[in-house]
Structures are given as structure tokens and as C-alpha cells.
Amino acid sequence: MVYGYGNRIAFIDLTKGKVKIRKPKESILKEYIGGKGLGARLLYDMLPPKIDPLSPSNILIFAVGPLTGTGAPASARGVIVTKSPATWTFNDSNGGGFFTSYMKLAGYDALVFLGRAEKLSYVYIDHDGKIHIRDATHISGYGVYATEDTLKDEVGDKDAKVASIGPAGENLVKIAGVVVDKHHIHARGGSGAVMGSKNLKAVVVSADKNNPRYELAYPDEFNEFNRRYIKEKIFSEEYSWAKDGGTPVIVQWSNEAGLFPTKNFQDGVFDGWEDISAEILKSYRTSKAACYRCTIACRNLVKIRHEKFGEVFIDGPEYETIAMVGGSTGLGDFKAIVSLNALLDDMGMDSISAGNIIGYVMELYEKGYISKDDLGGLEAKWGDPDVEHELVKMIAYRRGFGDIMAEGVKGIASYIGGDSYKFAIEVKGLEYPAYDPRGSYSMALAYATSDRGACHLRAWSIVEEAFGDKDPYIVEGKAEIVIRLQDLNAIKWSMVWCDFLAINYEDMSTYLRLATGWDLKPEELRYRGEKIWNLIRLFNLREGFTRRDDYAPYRILHEPLKSGPAKDKVIGVDNFNKMLDEYYRLRGWNKDGVPLKKTLRRLRLSKDYKRVWHPLN
Amino acid sequence: MVYGYGNRIAFIDLTKGKVKIRKPKESILKEYIGGKGLGARLLYDMLPPKIDPLSPSNILIFAVGPLTGTGAPASARGVIVTKSPATWTFNDSNGGGFFTSYMKLAGYDALVFLGRAEKLSYVYIDHDGKIHIRDATHISGYGVYATEDTLKDEVGDKDAKVASIGPAGENLVKIAGVVVDKHHIHARGGSGAVMGSKNLKAVVVSADKNNPRYELAYPDEFNEFNRRYIKEKIFSEEYSWAKDGGTPVIVQWSNEAGLFPTKNFQDGVFDGWEDISAEILKSYRTSKAACYRCTIACRNLVKIRHEKFGEVFIDGPEYETIAMVGGSTGLGDFKAIVSLNALLDDMGMDSISAGNIIGYVMELYEKGYISKDDLGGLEAKWGDPDVEHELVKMIAYRRGFGDIMAEGVKGIASYIGGDSYKFAIEVKGLEYPAYDPRGSYSMALAYATSDRGACHLRAWSIVEEAFGDKDPYIVEGKAEIVIRLQDLNAIKWSMVWCDFLAINYEDMSTYLRLATGWDLKPEELRYRGEKIWNLIRLFNLREGFTRRDDYAPYRILHEPLKSGPAKDKVIGVDNFNKMLDEYYRLRGWNKDGVPLKKTLRRLRLSKDYKRVWHPLN
């Protein structure tokens, strides 16, 4: 038995309807920790390259880590790993709430779903930790909210936690996520579509908070250290932003830095951003809230009554939703954004990609690439909340042009043709999130080199740049920041911590030692973060991704920002290549982005470089 | 107007329900000719890399050439080009019969289908050449036979020609083909699944044989030359095999060479091959037949009455079907093979891949990787025709384990895991056809370097090796043969000729001059073949395919054949790499299989090397 772990991985074969429980090797856990790292190792070993991510040959992994659910701050976190149908790369997607903590309480380090159920099904982990595959055809087409309520009733446990997909996942929409606890979504990269392709509507877990099915190595010292850490760090000034507005405070920061994604990244400042800022949110807030045992408590419970869309009560919205569903579509109505957020949660869809797609379609409409006719009579004008509501539903149900939109902006550009790709703001098929790199150059590199396409969570380098003290308009020295944060986050999401915890390697090392008994030095943790990052690079290389796929969108490279603090700023191809060259060099990769032999030796990944499943090996 | 062409490409947008007719540029036609070449150029220009082949972002192209339907021998041929859902590479799939000739008569050089119809539809080209998109929901789930009959009735033209998909295509089975004239199938690479993903059940063409919508440059000289060519070549001894048994004569050749795929390529000689040979076929043949105006007339009309499966009357079977549905599954019952052939045609499925998959599943069953339970009670024993019938239907309807089988042998291996990939006989996800390279080494190279995965039609190099006079068990000099044939076939399928026509560049040049008026020298044709081959290589590289994807299956490299003339022969990694190195060198590609700059310059493809749609360009 390894402390800190449930010591059980469940392989749930939906084609056969059978479950096998396996004990993970300690050597694997110690090297890949859990969450993202464990998921990456499983995905690398179990999948041959170039299989269809929406076929039963793909696998879907829910993984937690040795810290998940322990009461350490910001540890109510889990990861969903799969081959992404949006990007065809590796994909890990994190989520908070309560579900993953309960999975850990139930004694599972990972659930691995294989094959495809013959009809729509859900998986139930009962109080004894036993796994059941059950019929879900009666809730086919249900939104996430009704799905959760129905299944909790059905298993007879009001305290059960549910991860489920909405209509978007069932309809294989490429931006479908997996929603937990109604308002937390493993959003990016289409893991909801993979779940849908497996005919898996939901996973429900019952657990006993007082009887966790895992043990910590040094429970008393763990609790003592944790108490001190929470007191000194979490209750310090450092986390006041979370207790205050939460992530929506960034609306102000981004506009002041001139990098707020406005009308599909046409501009960096949104007229009237004050109306969708944290201050406005606070006026609708009923209370603060937290994920399972989290002491940061960044959540905002918000209630609005919209004249058209009625009353909505949600946990949210986050900055990303406000910026992408709001700014990027030209929508400055806070209540409409909240109402769209609720709809997106219920449909089970990523709000970043949804907002980006809608903004793109509005620009396509404005410029005459698509007509009212093409949109089934909709006039896709900037900032019209009715249109946005309709477009969200068209995407979720793949109705009319929504069938094209459901493929993401790259899929739309493929269908439209011509030079429409020039303002499709994506990398590797994943839509840009809400920081325009023309106002903080390093973000272009962070998006380009992210393991799952344009993601801001692999390296939120802006915190040291436009939101910090480094010059945001030069490229020198930026690769180092991006790499440092990518490695750090790779290990954070393996333990699994929340993004919002600003923890260093020293403290992670202590937490890990007290949970597992392993004495891993801070540098050994950093090394593992780097190793996991490189293993995933090997996965993506094997899938056929290389330097040409580590790009920035045309607009970001070639079109200067029109106004605001970053007016006239544009990254340019030379600058971009300079950052990328430096990044590869510092990573120990060659000019094509392939890890050098000595890098793989140093990371003990040499034998992984050979393609698993390759007949020539 | 360009002679030899209809001078019309129809872009049929199934999402919008609209059709645009465009006139192709003469410069493009002269460079890429038609068929495969024209399709490759369109696909390269219209698709960004790494889009989902089963999404509405993919396109599906039906293309014919300047010789199609002209009455030149073996010219009743057309090509379907798309991004393959089986391999994710470029895919062109040829077919004969009457459909494509009628498409040419109707004046279309290509039909390009975009998007996805909201409900199942079919496209009708009426006598005036007008294109209609019509509802097909009433024939949802129909087999190919009933689809053809129903639609001919519906358009009120008994002479209309139909290309359609069966249940396999509708269910997005990765080995689904597009069937024309009931028994001719554009079989390989899953173009039927792409058609299914577009909700396109069928394309129906009415045409007037006496009023072709294209003109030849020198019709009298064309007819004169054609008469002479047919008399001297087609009616010579060279084509006696076609007039005799057709392709089934190869059953004997393959067994005598010891390379007949027996029980999933476990052996190279099939006990009782005489029972499934051309001689047996002749005893059931009712008559010979031909595709539209073809003077080779290789077709065999065969009628059998099977005690279990009833009476069947088909145009077939070909060698590949006999070998893969028969030998590779251990089935030595000719009548059962014919009955399976008819079922596969009606379901709309590639018989090569189907036979390979069934053989693989039988070996998995024999070795205990899968159980009777996993197969829903089926005992998948070698050579059981009942089991094969059932498995074909399970695949077509994705029932039970058929859902996994529908992904092909690579998809099955991904699901099964472990070392099951060692006897999954495929390249790039496309199943091997019926020549075991251990009995004719060059075929391993031909399969590995084929542009669409394991295909024998890109270079049937065996004709100079095991079926010719070159030593089949050495690797020296084989790359040259494979390259020579690949270039030749690339241009053949652009004009479009049938595989069975052994025509040289000189005669192709004359035919092309008399049809179009262009005076292209034999070397200029060869150059275009090479250019098309390289353009497709660039497409596949852009999609992420490289040297690691140009492989041979483990069994072929590592396991010696057990008996027969090629007993103990095995290719080995060193031998394979030697051939591949030589191939790349002779092609003017680097060690990774990427065309050198000077090669691209020579082929005037330099500007295509840059990734289309790439923001850094």
C-alpha cells in the first residue's frame, strides 16, 4: 500500500460492460505522482498513435493525486485526460468542486474508460466503492442540471457527486466539457465529446467523508503543517483577490493593460468594461463559496434576474467567461453573461471556446463571409444576447450552421475557406483564451507551446509580464518564464493542486512527504514536472505535431492593435520565431521541437522516444 | 473551353443546400490532369491540416479525367478523393462500372461535397446537368441494392447511374466504401464513412450517351488511334488473363509463390486453394461483362445457390475478395465467399479490410485475447461462413464487438492492448491486401510508402518480382520498381485509366493529345505523376505523417513464414530499412521522408511546401 493513494485504478470497459481493478505500481506513482502525470503515462502506454479520438479505441481517464481531497488548500482538484477530439493532441482538463475529492475518498486514483457502451449509460461508484454500469437512456438529451438531480435521486444519495455531460457532449460537439457539481467544468479540449462518444452520460460517486479509502503517511504532522500553511499563506494578503472579487478582478487588469479580447481580438480595450467587472459582480453576489475543504474560497455565488432570460443562480462567472462570452462578442451586459454562463454549463460546453467561436462568427457575418440566410435567419450582430443564446443552442444541438460551429473556429475556417483563417484565433484547433498576446508577448509563446493548444493555464506568464514588472513588449527572456511555469504547473496538476494556489516546490515537497512518506527534494519535483512535460511532447510528436503546429494566429502576428495602452503593438513573425527558438533551446529540444537525445537521457525517457507499438522497435 | 473536359466543377454545399458551378483553370488541368491529380490539388488547397475527416469540415471529391468515358479501353473509371477517416491521410479510391462515365457525359470534371446535410439526402444530376439536393430519409438504412433500385425509380430513369453507401457508410464504419452500379466499389480508406458523415446517401446521374457534355480535340483521329490500339493491344495475348478468369487467376499464382494470405498472414499457402480458384469461378460463371465501353471485359457474372445463404448473382468476386474473405479467414468454400461478397457490397464495405479484420479477430479468439462472451456468443473459429456473415453485419451496424471491429485492425489492437498489435496486419491504419511481402519483399515497401496506407495498387511491384523474373527475396533494386510504378499509376489515375490497362507513357501521351489537344511528351507525363505523388506526400507530412509511419507490420518483419515456397522467409528490420532508405534517396527525399528543397524546385512545388493556412507564411 502506498500512503496518500487509494491504490486502485479501475479499468471500466464499456463495450464489455466489465470492470477490472488494478493496483498501480509504486514506482509509477513516485515518478508520475498522479493526475496529469499519471494520466499522461497511461495515455502514452495505452494508445497507439493516430487513432480517432471519438472512436471506442480512445480512452478517457479521470485521475486524482496524493493531495486531492486531503484538506490541503486548493486540493479539491482532479484531471480528465484523453486524446482530444478538438486538437488531436494529448489533453488534460482540470476541475474543482467536490466530485474528484469524492473519487479519492472512494479510494480510486484513476478511472479509465475503454470502448463504448452500446446504449447511453452512467457509472455509479457506490458506498462500498463498487462500480456499476447502468442504463441512462431515460436521461438522454438532459441538461447537466437535470442530469445531476435525477441521478442523485436515482442512487438515493443526496450527497453523491456527479460528473456529467449535457447535450453538447452527447452530440459530439468538439468544445463539450465534463461538468461536475453543476457549475465546475473540465472545460477545454472536448473531453465531454469523448465521454459522449463512449455513450457515457455521467459518473456518480457516493463516499463517506469520515471514512476515506486512503491513508496519509504522517496524518498528524500533515494536519499540523497544513494548519500553519493555511494560516500563514492562504489567510495572507496574497489571496485577497480571491476573497474579494475572484478571477473577475482580471477584467480591470486586462483592460488597463490593453489586452482584453474585444470583438474577436480586433481590439484590446472594451468600452464599458466597468459594467462587466468584479465590482458589478459583487453587486449580484449572494455569498462566497469554496470547493471541497478549500480555504481559499474564491467562488462567487451570483443571482440575477434577466428581463428576457429569467432568474439564474450560479457559481460564477469566472474572468474567462466574462471576457470571452462578453468582450470577445461585444456583449457588455453582465446579467446576460451570467445567463449565458448558466446555459453553457447546462449544455456542458467550454465558455472560452464558445465565446471565441461566437465572436469569430460575428466577425465573419460583419465582413460578409456568411449571411443571415446561412445562419437560419439570425443577424449575428456584435453584442446581441438573444443571438448568442441562439448560437449556443445551435452549437450544442448541431443545428444548422451550429453543426459547423461545433467544430471550433479552425473547423469553421476550413468550411468557409479563403482568407477566413486569418482571424480564426486558435492554436492546434483550440481557441485562444482571454489574454491578447499583443499586450503581453510571452502569452503568444505560452499558447503556442501549450501541450493542448491555446491554453493560458500551462504558463500564465502574463503575471510576470503585463501584470508584473517585466516589459510586455519585448521577447527576450520570455522563454525562461514560460518553461519555468509549465514545469511547475505540470507537477502541480499531478499532485493535484488548483491553479489558484501559488505554492512553491519546497512546500509541495513537504506536503507530498507528509502525505506519501516519500522524501522528494524540491528539485526532484521540478524534474518530474519537466519529465511529464517532455513525455507529453513525445506523445504529441508521435501524433504528428511538430514546430509547424506551434504557431500564433495570423492576426496576432500581423495586425497591430487598434487602440489602448498596447496600441500599434503586434508580435511579428521574427519576434515569434525568436521566442520559439529560445524556448526549444532552453528545453533541450532541436529546431523542430524534438527533444534531443541527451535531454531524454537526462529525463530517463530515452526508451519512450521509440514509438510504442512500433513494429520496427 | 478545354477539350476532353466538361469544364465544370460543382461545389455542392450540403450545409447550405446550395450548388456553385466553377470552371477549372486550364493551367491546373494541364498540370494535374484530372482524377487523382485534380483531387489532390483541391484537397491540398481546401483543407487545413488536422481537421476531423468525419466532420463537416472535411470535403469529398468525385473526380473524372479527360479519358473517362471516351471509349478508350479501361477508361470507365473515376476517383473519390477525401481525407481518410481510416488513416487520416490523403485518400483516393478508384472505381469502375458506369457511374463515373455518366458523370463525365453530364459534363462534370469533379463534384466537391462540403459541409453536412441536416438530414439524410441524395444528390441528383438530371438530364439537363442540373444538380438537385433531395431528401433521402425514406431510404435510411437501406442496403446498396435497394438504394439503387429505389432511386432509379424515383428519378424515373432506368438508365440513371447511382453511387451510394449502405448501412456501413451511414454508421461511419471506417472501412465503408462507396458502391457504384451495385457491384463496383470505391472500397478503400473509408470514403463511404465520409459520405455518411455528410448525410449523403447517394449521388444519381442521368446522362445521354449520344450527347456528351464535353468535346474531344481530334475526335476522328482519336477514334482511329483507339481502334488500332484496341486491336493491337487489348485483343492481344497480353489480356488473355482478363478474358479467361479475370483477377481470380491470381489465387493460383499467389499460392504457387507461397504468399497467399492464409489465416491472417500466419502462412503463405492455403490448403484447398484450388476450391476457390479461377477454375471454380468459371464453373459458376453465367457470362463475361465489361464496364462502360471497356473492351478488356474482365468482369465475371457469377450465380450461386448456397444451401444456407440462398441464391446470389453478382459481378465478381475479385482476387482480393477471394483471398481476404476466403484465405485470410481460413474459408475455402467458394459459394460462401460469393455470398459474403454480395453481403459486403450491399452493406457497402471494403472486402479487403473486412476479410483482414475478420481474420485478425479469429486469431485473437484462437489465442484467447477475446472470448465467446466478448463476441456476443459467437465462436470465431477459422473458416466458419456463418460466423463471417454475422461478423460482417456486426461491423456494418456497429453491434456489440462490431463497434470495435468497425475501427479496423489498428483500432481493435488499441482496444485490446498488450502485444496484440504484433499480428495486426496494417500500415497507417489501412489493412494489408492479399500479397504477403515475405514472399515478394518489394511489396513491404510498396505498402509502407503508399500514400493511403497498405495498398497494393500504388505499386504492384510483385508483377516484376514473385510474378516476374526478379529475385523476390532480396531487397536490392526494389525501390526503383516501386517508385517507377507509383509515378506511372499516379498519372494513370489522373487521366483516369483502370489499373488493369498496361499502358505506357507513349500511348498515354497520344491519347491525351488527341483528347485535349495538349502535346505533352511521355517524360512530361511521368514528371506529372511524380509531381502528384510528391504533392500528396506534402499533404501527408502536413498531417503529421513521417518516416515512423512508413512501416511494415511486426509479423512481416519478425516472423518467418511457416511453410510453402517462401518457408522461413522474413523481411527483417535491416532489410526493410535498407529498402526504405533507398526509396527516399531515389525519390530525392531526406532520411525522414521529407522531399529535399531541390526536389521540390524540380517539381515546381516549392511554394506548396509552406503550409497552406499557416499564419507564419
Coordinates of all heavy atoms in Angstrom, one line a residue, chain A residues 14-39:
Chain A
L14 N -16.5 -0.3 -21.3 CA -17.9 0.0 -21.6 C -18.5 -0.9 -22.7 O -19.7 -1.1 -22.8 CB -18.1 1.5 -21.9 CG -17.8 2.4 -20.8 CD1 -17.6 3.9 -21.3 CD2 -18.8 2.4 -19.7
T15 N -17.6 -1.4 -23.6 CA -18.0 -2.3 -24.6 C -18.4 -3.7 -24.0 O -19.5 -4.2 -24.3 CB -16.9 -2.5 -25.7 OG1 -16.7 -1.3 -26.4 CG2 -17.3 -3.6 -26.7
K16 N -17.5 -4.2 -23.1 CA -17.8 -5.5 -22.5 C -18.7 -5.3 -21.3 O -19.3 -6.3 -20.8 CB -16.5 -6.1 -22.0 CG -15.6 -6.6 -23.1 CD -14.4 -7.3 -22.4 CE -13.3 -7.7 -23.5 NZ -12.1 -8.2 -22.9
G17 N -18.8 -4.1 -20.8 CA -19.6 -3.9 -19.5 C -18.9 -4.5 -18.3 O -19.6 -5.0 -17.4
K18 N -17.6 -4.5 -18.3 CA -16.9 -5.2 -17.2 C -15.9 -4.2 -16.6 O -15.3 -3.3 -17.3 CB -16.1 -6.4 -17.8 CG -17.0 -7.6 -18.0 CD -16.2 -8.8 -18.4 CE -17.2 -9.9 -18.8 NZ -16.5 -10.9 -19.7
V19 N -15.6 -4.4 -15.3 CA -14.7 -3.6 -14.6 C -13.5 -4.4 -14.1 O -13.7 -5.5 -13.5 CB -15.4 -2.9 -13.4 CG1 -14.4 -2.0 -12.7 CG2 -16.6 -2.1 -13.9
K20 N -12.3 -3.9 -14.2 CA -11.1 -4.6 -13.6 C -10.5 -3.6 -12.7 O -10.3 -2.4 -13.1 CB -10.1 -5.0 -14.7 CG -10.5 -6.3 -15.4 CD -9.3 -6.7 -16.3 CE -9.8 -7.7 -17.3 NZ -8.8 -7.8 -18.4
I21 N -10.1 -4.0 -11.5 CA -9.4 -3.1 -10.6 C -7.9 -3.5 -10.5 O -7.6 -4.7 -10.4 CB -10.0 -3.2 -9.2 CG1 -11.5 -3.0 -9.2 CG2 -9.3 -2.2 -8.2 CD1 -12.0 -1.6 -9.5
R22 N -7.1 -2.6 -10.7 CA -5.6 -2.9 -10.7 C -4.9 -2.0 -9.7 O -5.3 -0.8 -9.5 CB -5.0 -2.7 -12.1 CG -5.5 -3.7 -13.1 CD -4.8 -5.0 -12.9 NE -5.3 -6.0 -13.9 CZ -6.4 -6.8 -13.7 NH1 -7.0 -6.8 -12.5 NH2 -6.7 -7.7 -14.6
K23 N -3.9 -2.5 -9.1 CA -3.1 -1.7 -8.1 C -2.0 -1.1 -8.9 O -1.2 -1.8 -9.5 CB -2.6 -2.7 -7.1 CG -2.0 -2.0 -5.9 CD -1.6 -3.0 -4.8 CE -0.5 -2.4 -3.9 NZ 0.0 -3.3 -3.0
P24 N -1.9 0.2 -8.9 CA -0.7 0.9 -9.6 C 0.6 0.6 -8.9 O 0.6 0.4 -7.7 CB -1.1 2.4 -9.5 CG -2.0 2.5 -8.4 CD -2.7 1.2 -8.2
K25 N 1.6 0.5 -9.7 CA 3.0 0.2 -9.1 C 3.5 1.5 -8.4 O 3.3 2.6 -8.9 CB 4.0 -0.1 -10.2 CG 3.9 -1.4 -10.8 CD 5.1 -1.7 -11.7 CE 4.9 -2.8 -12.6 NZ 5.7 -2.8 -13.8
E26 N 4.1 1.3 -7.2 CA 4.6 2.5 -6.5 C 5.6 3.2 -7.4 O 5.7 4.5 -7.3 CB 5.3 2.0 -5.2 CG 5.9 3.2 -4.4 CD 6.2 3.0 -3.0 OE1 6.1 1.8 -2.5 OE2 6.5 3.9 -2.2
S27 N 6.4 2.5 -8.1 CA 7.5 3.2 -8.9 C 6.9 4.1 -9.9 O 7.4 5.2 -10.2 CB 8.3 2.1 -9.7 OG 7.5 1.3 -10.5
I28 N 5.7 3.8 -10.5 CA 5.0 4.7 -11.4 C 4.4 5.9 -10.7 O 4.6 7.0 -11.1 CB 3.9 3.9 -12.2 CG1 4.4 2.8 -13.1 CG2 3.0 4.9 -12.9 CD1 5.1 3.4 -14.4
L29 N 3.8 5.6 -9.5 CA 3.2 6.7 -8.8 C 4.3 7.7 -8.3 O 4.2 8.9 -8.4 CB 2.5 6.2 -7.5 CG 1.3 5.3 -7.8 CD1 0.7 4.8 -6.5 CD2 0.2 6.1 -8.6
K30 N 5.4 7.2 -7.9 CA 6.5 8.0 -7.4 C 7.1 8.9 -8.5 O 7.6 10.0 -8.3 CB 7.6 7.2 -6.7 CG 8.5 7.9 -5.8 CD 9.4 7.0 -5.0 CE 10.3 7.9 -4.1 NZ 11.2 7.0 -3.3
E31 N 7.1 8.3 -9.8 CA 7.7 9.1 -10.9 C 6.7 10.0 -11.5 O 7.1 11.1 -11.9 CB 8.1 8.0 -11.9 CG 9.1 8.6 -12.9 CD 10.5 8.8 -12.3 OE1 10.8 8.5 -11.2 OE2 11.3 9.5 -13.0
Y32 N 5.4 9.7 -11.6 CA 4.4 10.5 -12.3 C 3.4 11.1 -11.3 O 2.5 11.8 -11.8 CB 3.8 9.7 -13.4 CG 4.8 9.3 -14.4 CD1 5.4 8.0 -14.4 CD2 5.2 10.2 -15.4 CE1 6.3 7.7 -15.4 CE2 6.1 9.9 -16.4 CZ 6.7 8.6 -16.3 OH 7.7 8.3 -17.2
I33 N 3.4 10.7 -10.0 CA 2.7 11.3 -8.9 C 1.2 11.1 -9.0 O 0.6 10.5 -8.1 CB 2.9 12.9 -8.8 CG1 4.4 13.2 -8.8 CG2 2.2 13.4 -7.6 CD1 5.2 12.6 -7.6
G34 N 0.5 11.4 -10.0 CA -1.0 11.3 -10.1 C -1.5 12.3 -11.1 O -0.7 12.8 -11.9
G35 N -2.8 12.5 -11.2 CA -3.4 13.5 -12.0 C -2.9 13.5 -13.4 O -2.9 12.5 -14.1
K36 N -2.4 14.7 -13.8 CA -1.8 14.9 -15.1 C -0.7 13.9 -15.5 O -0.7 13.3 -16.6 CB -1.3 16.3 -15.3 CG -0.7 16.6 -16.6 CD -0.4 18.1 -16.8 CE 0.1 18.4 -18.2 NZ -0.2 19.8 -18.6
G37 N 0.2 13.7 -14.6 CA 1.4 12.9 -14.8 C 1.0 11.4 -15.0 O 1.4 10.7 -16.0
L38 N 0.1 10.9 -14.1 CA -0.3 9.5 -14.2 C -1.1 9.3 -15.5 O -1.0 8.3 -16.2 CB -1.1 9.2 -13.0 CG -1.7 7.7 -12.9 CD1 -0.6 6.7 -12.9 CD2 -2.6 7.6 -11.7
G39 N -2.0 10.3 -15.8 CA -2.8 10.2 -17.0 C -2.0 10.2 -18.2 O -2.3 9.5 -19.2

